[in-house]
Amino acid sequence: HPHNVSYLVDLLEEFVGKKAIREYVPLPATGDVLRTHADVSLATADLGYEPKVSLREGVRRFAEWYRDYYPNGLDADMAAYKPL
């Protein structure tokens, strides 16, 4: 099922326990999309891949891992990281 980015951010907020700073900007004319989802049919056919975890459960597990991996928050290198 396709989900929009806001839903993903909602899940992160819920499971991390922090409110995101959301900045909504107009979509660029370069072809960005409002919603997308993976077609795993080829992976299913070729590899027998069958997803067993929902997006919600996967984000919950990620948040649990994140809290365990960064018990004191981000380290200095990660906190200073600026994406391109």
Side-chain angles (χ1 to χ4, degrees), residues 25 41 46 49 53 71 81 83-84:
V25 295
S41 60
D46 289 354
Y49 172 73
V53 176
Y81 174 75
L84 300 176

Side-chain angles (χ1 to χ4, degrees), residues 4-72:
N4 61 38
V5 173
S6 289
Y7 177 69
L8 180 61
V9 174
D10 291 341
L11 291 176
L12 286 166
E13 287 177 334
E14 178 182 346
F15 294 123
V16 172
K18 293 188 178 194
K19 203 75 172 138
I21 300 170
R22 299 180 190 220
E23 182 179 340
Y24 294 94
V25 295
L27 290 175
T30 57
D32 216 351
V33 295
L34 290 172
R35 181 178 299 119
T36 187
H37 67 282
D39 177 0
V40 297
S41 60
L42 189 59
T44 300
D46 289 354
L47 306 171
Y49 172 73
E50 293 183 31
K52 297 192 175 18
V53 176
S54 68
L55 177 62
R56 179 179 184 77
E57 177 63 13
V59 172
R60 187 198 66 74
R61 290 180 187 185
F62 167 77
E64 183 179 337
W65 168 85
Y66 183 89
R67 283 191 303 273
D68 289 344
Y69 195 81
Y70 295 108
N72 301 313

